[in-house]
Amino acid sequence: MLKPKREGEVRIPSGCAIAAIMDRSGCRHDGMDILRSIALMHDRGNGLGGGFAAYGIYPEYKDLYAFHIMYETPEARMATEEYLGTYFMVEKQERIPTTDVPSIKNPPDIWRYFALVHPMKLNMSGLDEAEYTMQHVFHINAGIDGAFVASSGKDMGAFKGVGYPEDIGEFYRIQDYEAWAWTAHGRFPTNTPGWWGGAHPFTLLNWSVVHNGEISSYDANRRYVEQFGYQCELQTDTEVITYLFDLLARRHGFSQEMTAHIMTAASWDDIDRMPPDEAAFETALRTTYPSALVNGPFSIIVGSEEGLLALNDRLKLRALMVAEKGPMVYLASEQAAIEVVCPDAQNVRSIEGGVPFVVQLDEVAERKRQGSTENSPADVALTHETGVMPPRRKEMAHA
Amino acid sequence: MLDYVLPRYKVMRDVDLCVECGVCERSCSNEVHRVDEDLGRVVADHMKCVNCQRCVVMCPTRAISITKWPQVDTGSSNWTLGYMQDIAKQAQTGAVLLSSMGNPEPYPIYWDHLLLNASQVTNPSIDPLREPMETRVFLGSRPGMLKVNERSRQVVSAMPAQLKLDVPMMFSAMSFGSISLNTQMSLAMAATELGTYFNTGEGGLHQDLEGYSDHAVVQVASGRFGVDPHYLNAGAAIEIKIGQGAKPGIGGHLPGEKIDAEVSRTRMIPEGTDAISPAPHHDIYSIEDLRQLIFSIKEATLYQKPVSVKIAAVHNVAAIASGIARAGADIIAIDGFRGGTGAAPKRIRDNVGIPVELALASVDRRLREEGIRSTVSVVAGGSIRSSADIVRAIALGADAVYIASAALIALGCHQCGDCSSGKCNWGIATQRPELTRRLNPEIAAERVVNLIGGWTHEIQEMMGGMGINSIDSLRGNRLMLRGVGLNQKELDILGVKHAGE
């Protein structure tokens, strides 16, 4: 029998529906609204992938990594649990509760683990905690056949699989979870791999990304991030966009907004019209991070512990709407998907091309206002000697 | 001694069209054509013809064409006429065979086995007439990461000096001496208008070109001709030439007859003396020595100019390029074995080095594996023939390309490969005043600007078709390429899939 190749073995372009709901005040809401919102955009998916990411769902374990892991075989589970036991201290593990849904066929065995990093192993690794966790997630995904880490953040989780998003939501009983932010994804892949690991949102640490589009810069972006230890196993746009966010925001210390700006940099035409100082700033960003520029049609919603960020490509080739009501913010590929859950939403507008739309938790926004405005890179190893005059030499030259 | 060497070309003259005007005679510095008063017609000395086609273009009645000398060989695939003629020449002279321009042998041209992608349905192609289509490129080293103040929008990191190219191509090194001042002037004017750079080659910067020095890359080669602090600081960047694709591993020799007053002053050597570039730099016998020269130059220019290191594409090119990056170079220029030259020993030109496509792909991969690709720029050269070759080179990982032969062809060069004789009828590879004045720099510059303008439009069209609106997203984007007619090893080295995959 002809067997289609899986995500990761082949690159599969896909179109999609995306949606998100967030409460800036941090109040938590169940998954009913996001389910109705994404269900309205049924026609934008084709039943080959759907999923949700939720933030704030595990308050009782909020300092532990919550690993959602899918297993195709019992052997994969044994190998993974042994691996996790070696590098982490698992406080609690359980099967993620699910409901039988007729349209969901052959689901994998899905577990979650609440775990601390092993302090000795972390110390010996020479990595920081996030980097350590990321490397082990990469190891499980690439090294253990039949196991896939669906999410690996704290106080958050991804619920995804093969099927229409509304069916996937029902399967995972997302109405039973309460979160301050929800994102959702309905997928229209142009190929039929039917693999649960390949569904979206794609997540890494606290990042989750839902994406609609097909980026034409994929290989340039991939080859850039692979230099820094990211493994593009799935060959998807969402995956590489997540890694770009992680590289620039977590490791290089930029704000999420600046990270999004680097990925949708100002055009040279605009830079040429700027005052010299501003032009120098934009030029430095573009010339240092040319391979982080994301090209081609995309609309993405990035979730993190800070809140949500929505971004469209520079030419605005994909639809993405935003609306607000009180502390609530709604995002969706189609306006109707917002109005179905919030008929009296205000400030309904489309996200502009290349202009990041940022929603932060009120407490995060307040902390940022008081914090430093310089980025503080986490990763000194990335610095490279460049052709700039050594400081001591400079003093002599000007003397 | 009887000379066994046969003519290479035969001059065909349509006597019905020929009006015996004598233009061909005056056009030809090789003295092929002669109006024979006694015979009452124009005759040709076929032996002297190099097929530069100047007479063909100049003949007002289109009476002239050039054909191959109609001598058949023996039918042997082994002892071809070419090899036999080379032996005849060497038996006659005992000398090394000299040649010019690029390797003409039928080695694989990988550009011709790489096909470009275009968008259909799942993402839209972008129309360059409607949307901005960015071809600007910066060359030089870059910090691995940037420190900025986000609120005041200021850069905190020190930024190294960089070259700004409005088009992803520069004119590669051709020295004054090997080409005429008018030719250099044409390229300097074109580079200035196009927002890119020309390269002085190793022959110094002539004072007449100082007005264009903002658009000059000044070269430091093993002969160190014309190098002083003023020269280093005059250009926009400095290039250390280690090697050249047409003649890897050997130096150069400009005979004393060509060292006239102007060349002498520019190269800073006595008039009439031979200008010899040694095979190696005698202060660079290893990679650590290169580092010292790079930083000597940076010190001499107060770190205000990017330093490029140009090497010929040879077998171990990836490791060498990595060493160059770690030695502190800001730009690595790789010159493939089809790159042109004013003069090179034929056996070297035709047998040494590797194709730039493979070299470029390997260098790009190695630098990425080491995590330093984003901090250094890579420029590829060595026979870029069209805008499609440029798109391929960038997708294989180049930041920009060097072009020289194509620019000379735009000026009139017909690739006859006789540069070393100094009798270039197109006024390019010569210092003879009666020939150099055939090239009007203003008209010539316009031809080059036209060519690069046309290529830029084509690059924009191809990028738009791929759904890309900035050259930054094409760089290293090998998914935009598919190989055709290549074996698995070749595909692996190039890092591309086969068409249909």
Side-chain angles (χ1 to χ4, degrees):
Chain A
M1 193 181 106
L2 279 174
K3 191 164 168 282
K5 284 189 175 169
R6 267 193 176 178
E7 203 98 40
E9 296 172 315
V10 63
R11 187 172 143 74
I12 301 160
S14 57
C16 305
I18 59 177
I21 299 175
M22 173 171 158
D23 188 331
R24 275 186 283 230
S25 73
C27 282
R28 303 190 301 140
H29 304 267
D30 69 29
M32 289 311 295
D33 277 357
I34 193 72
L35 200 64
R36 282 162 58 213
S37 180
I38 196 74
L40 185 100
M41 297 185 284
H42 180 91
D43 281 356
R44 295 181 74 96
N46 63 359
L48 291 172
F52 302 84
Y55 289 85
I57 51 174
Y58 300 130
E60 60 275 36
Y61 298 108
K62 67 183 170 58
D63 296 325
L64 306 184
Y65 286 98
F67 296 108
H68 286 197
I69 306 182
M70 304 171 171
Y71 300 115
E72 289 175 335
T73 60
E75 293 76 31
R77 180 157 78 88
M78 277 167 56
T80 305
E81 286 179 355
E82 191 187 332
Y83 188 83
L84 281 177
T86 310
Y87 295 99
F88 294 86
M89 299 190 304
V90 178
E91 296 239 333
K92 177 181 165 119
Q93 62 187 69
E94 63 186 358
R95 229 178 220 115
I96 294 181
T98 54
T99 303
D100 282 347
V101 177
S103 62
I104 302 292
K105 308 269 194 275
N106 299 324
D109 193 10
I110 307 162
W111 285 67
R112 66 184 157 213
Y113 304 83
F114 297 100
L116 280 168
V117 297
H118 193 297
M120 289 288 286
K121 293 266 163 53
L122 173 66
N123 241 336
M124 279 155 56
S125 72
L127 302 169
D128 65 27
E129 191 185 296
E131 197 69 30
Y132 175 90
T133 307
M134 183 180 96
Q135 292 301 336
H136 289 301
V137 169
F138 285 157
H139 182 91
I140 294 170
N141 287 345
I144 303 180
D145 202 27
F148 187 83
V149 181
S151 61
S152 53
K154 291 178 176 175
D155 198 12
M156 61 83 71
F159 304 93
K160 60 184 187 177
V162 176
Y164 282 102
E166 56 272 27
D167 297 337
I168 291 291
E170 197 187 337
F171 172 79
Y172 279 107
R173 306 160 61 114
I174 66 163
Q175 68 276 14
D176 295 347
Y177 295 87
E178 290 199 325
W180 52 261
W182 284 97
T183 67
H185 188 261
R187 191 150 189 249
F188 198 136
T190 54
N191 207 326
T192 56
W195 179 44
W196 283 58
H200 295 172
F202 183 82
T203 76
L204 176 73
L205 303 175
N206 284 342
W207 302 109
S208 72
V209 177
V210 288
H211 155 77
N212 170 25
E214 183 187 339
I215 59 174
S216 48
S217 58
Y218 172 78
D219 215 29
N221 302 139
R222 174 183 70 82
R223 296 167 66 79
Y224 176 61
V225 299
E226 278 185 350
Q227 292 184 93
F228 313 116
Y230 296 96
Q231 296 174 10
C232 293
E233 288 286 330
L234 298 179
Q235 300 190 34
T236 60
D237 296 348
T238 318
E239 179 185 46
V240 83
I241 288 170
T242 308
Y243 296 162
L244 281 171
F245 260 92
D246 189 63
L247 177 70
L248 296 175
R250 185 177 64 79
R251 284 163 74 165
H252 292 200
F254 290 107
S255 69
Q256 292 185 19
E257 191 169 3
M258 189 58 69
T259 298
H261 178 61
I262 289 168
M263 290 163 63
T264 52
S267 75
W268 289 118
D269 285 349
D270 288 344
I271 293 172
D272 289 345
R273 284 191 291 265
M274 288 174 185
D277 281 358
E278 203 181 339
F281 176 74
E282 295 291 347
T283 301
L285 289 179
R286 282 206 71 167
T287 56
T288 306
Y289 297 110
S291 300
L293 181 73
V294 182
N295 225 301
F298 70 90
S299 60
I300 55 171
I301 302 170
V302 181
S304 69
E305 72 282 6
E306 293 182 4
L308 300 178
L309 179 143
L311 184 66
N312 254 147
D313 62 87
R314 302 197 294 177
L315 301 180
K316 183 65 183 170
L317 297 169
R318 281 288 187 272
L320 187 58
M321 301 298 291
V322 60
E324 291 164 85
K325 188 188 173 191
M328 302 299 293
V329 179
Y330 300 88
L331 289 152
S333 299
E334 295 178 12
Q335 188 172 338
I338 294 173
E339 288 171 346
V340 70
V341 291
C342 186
D344 53 348
Q346 293 147 357
N347 293 333
V348 182
R349 61 201 183 274
S350 71
I351 301 287
E352 278 180 60
V355 183
F357 175 84
V358 179
V359 207
Q360 289 172 333
L361 283 171
D362 291 338
E363 45 123 350
V364 172
E366 184 53 36
R367 195 172 69 229
K368 296 260 168 187
R369 259 192 293 282
Q370 291 165 3
S372 163
T373 55
E374 283 185 16
N375 59 321
S376 41
D379 199 340
V380 207
L382 279 177
T383 49
H384 173 73
E385 184 175 355
T386 55
V388 292
M389 187 184 290
R392 203 160 50 81
R393 179 73 180 80
K394 197 181 274 178
E395 283 159 28
M396 285 161 59
H398 292 295
Chain B
M1 199 166 14
L2 179 60
D3 192 345
Y4 301 160
V5 177
L6 303 173
R8 292 162 68 203
Y9 301 105
K10 184 165 183 172
V11 180
M12 312 286 280
R13 195 183 318 274
D14 188 329
V15 288
D16 293 339
L17 293 175
C18 179
V19 292
E20 291 151 46
C21 63
V23 163
C24 51
E25 185 180 20
R26 292 191 295 281
S27 292
C28 185
S29 63
N30 293 307
E31 298 172 328
V32 171
H33 303 278
R34 187 168 54 83
V35 181
D36 192 316
E37 302 287 345
D38 298 338
L39 293 172
R41 59 186 167 88
V42 189
V43 296
D45 180 348
H46 304 293
M47 195 73 192
K48 291 177 177 166
C49 179
V50 298
N51 189 27
C52 77
Q53 300 166 38
R54 177 82 183 182
C55 58
V56 178
V57 171
M58 297 304 286
C59 175
T61 62
R62 299 269 176 244
I64 304 173
S65 58
I66 312 290
T67 185
K68 272 189 177 170
W69 189 252
Q71 178 58 53
V72 297
D73 56 25
T74 60
S76 166
S77 301
N78 188 37
W79 289 110
T80 61
L81 195 59
Y83 276 112
M84 290 169 63
Q85 285 287 294
D86 283 346
I87 288 171
K89 266 184 228 164
Q90 291 189 289
Q92 190 84 20
T93 63
V96 168
L97 294 168
L98 205 57
S99 64
S100 301
M101 293 321 297
N103 188 337
E105 297 299 317
Y107 293 102
I109 298 173
Y110 287 95
W111 301 136
D112 296 339
H113 293 270
L114 292 168
L115 298 173
L116 305 178
N117 192 29
S119 304
Q120 299 286 293
V121 183
T122 54
N123 69 356
S125 42
I126 301 169
D127 183 350
L129 296 176
R130 284 183 48 151
E131 305 287 354
M133 193 56 72
E134 299 177 337
T135 56
R136 186 178 294 176
V137 171
F138 281 77
L139 299 183
S141 59
R142 281 148 288 185
M145 63 181 152
L146 203 58
K147 202 162 164 56
V148 301
N149 186 316
E150 294 195 10
R151 196 168 298 159
S152 64
R153 298 180 83 77
Q154 278 175 333
V155 183
V156 179
S157 312
M159 286 298 287
Q162 295 182 325
L163 293 181
K164 182 176 96 172
L165 280 65
D166 283 329
V167 290
M169 38 199 144
M170 299 187 288
F171 303 122
S172 42
M174 289 176 281
S175 68
F176 175 44
S178 76
I179 59 171
S180 66
L181 185 59
N182 277 355
T183 307
Q184 276 202 335
M185 178 79 77
S186 310
L187 296 175
M189 291 164 74
T192 304
E193 186 168 340
L194 291 162
T196 184
Y197 300 85
F198 74 104
N199 189 312
T200 61
E202 63 165 324
L205 181 69
H206 191 275
Q207 58 191 16
D208 290 0
L209 296 175
E210 298 239 342
Y212 302 96
S213 61
D214 286 353
H215 289 272
V217 175
V218 295
Q219 207 179 47
V220 174
S222 60
R224 303 286 156 87
F225 300 118
V227 176
D228 65 4
H230 173 76
Y231 172 74
L232 295 176
N233 281 287
I238 296 115
E239 182 168 86
I240 300 170
K241 177 198 166 183
I242 300 294
Q244 178 180 347
K247 42 179 171 179
I250 64 165
H253 177 193
L254 195 64
E257 305 88 75
K258 290 190 176 175
I259 314 292
D260 63 14
E262 290 296 308
V263 174
S264 149
R265 184 161 52 238
T266 309
R267 293 207 174 213
M268 303 179 189
I269 52 171
E271 224 172 297
T273 56
D274 288 4
I276 295 181
S277 303
H281 287 244
H282 282 299
D283 54 358
I284 304 178
Y285 284 177
S286 183
I287 193 79
E288 64 272 18
D289 298 338
L290 175 66
R291 185 178 178 84
Q292 289 193 356
L293 180 60
I294 290 171
F295 280 91
S296 300
I297 290 172
K298 285 184 188 251
E299 291 284 328
T301 54
L302 298 179
Y303 295 80
Q304 297 302 300
K305 318 271 180 188
V307 175
S308 166
V309 174
K310 176 177 173 177
I311 51 167
V314 290
H315 301 177
N316 203 19
V317 67
I320 296 165
S322 162
I324 290 171
R326 292 180 187 283
D330 303 305
I331 301 166
I332 304 167
I334 307 161
D335 198 16
F337 82 149
R338 285 191 305 272
T341 177
K346 184 174 179 178
R347 291 293 167 247
I348 301 277
R349 182 195 69 174
D350 295 355
N351 295 285
V352 181
I354 63 169
V356 71
E357 302 92 319
L358 302 179
L360 169 61
S362 297
V363 167
D364 181 66
R365 175 182 299 117
R366 173 64 73 94
L367 295 178
R368 280 175 198 273
E369 282 168 359
E370 298 189 15
I372 54 175
R373 176 64 189 89
S374 322
T375 58
V376 64
S377 296
V378 174
V379 177
S383 197
I384 298 284
R385 303 158 305 167
S386 73
S387 55
D389 288 352
I390 297 173
V391 171
R392 293 176 177 114
I394 293 171
L396 284 180
D399 287 273
V401 299
Y402 260 144
I403 58 172
S405 293
L408 295 188
I409 292 168
L411 298 182
C413 169
H414 280 64
Q415 295 283 301
C416 69
D418 199 46
C419 319
S420 57
S421 72
K423 292 192 283 193
C424 176
N425 276 316
W426 295 92
I428 295 168
T430 178
Q431 302 303 328
R432 293 190 188 186
E434 74 275 16
L435 297 177
T436 59
R437 69 165 174 259
R438 289 180 179 181
L439 192 78
N440 176 324
E442 277 170 23
I443 296 171
E446 192 186 331
R447 292 182 71 91
V448 177
V449 169
N450 285 344
L451 173 75
I452 302 302
W455 280 11
T456 304
H457 283 304
E458 290 172 343
I459 291 170
Q460 290 174 327
E461 291 281 355
M462 286 183 266
M463 276 176 24
M466 296 170 181
I468 285 174
N469 67 0
S470 168
I471 206 124
D472 290 337
S473 298
L474 179 62
R475 188 176 314 111
N477 196 336
R478 299 190 194 184
L479 274 183
M480 293 298 159
L481 300 176
R482 284 290 189 276
V484 66
L486 296 176
N487 65 37
Q488 191 55 50
K489 191 74 187 171
E490 292 168 318
L491 294 168
D492 290 346
I493 293 169
L494 291 165
V496 300
K497 293 178 176 177
H498 202 274
E501 266 192 288

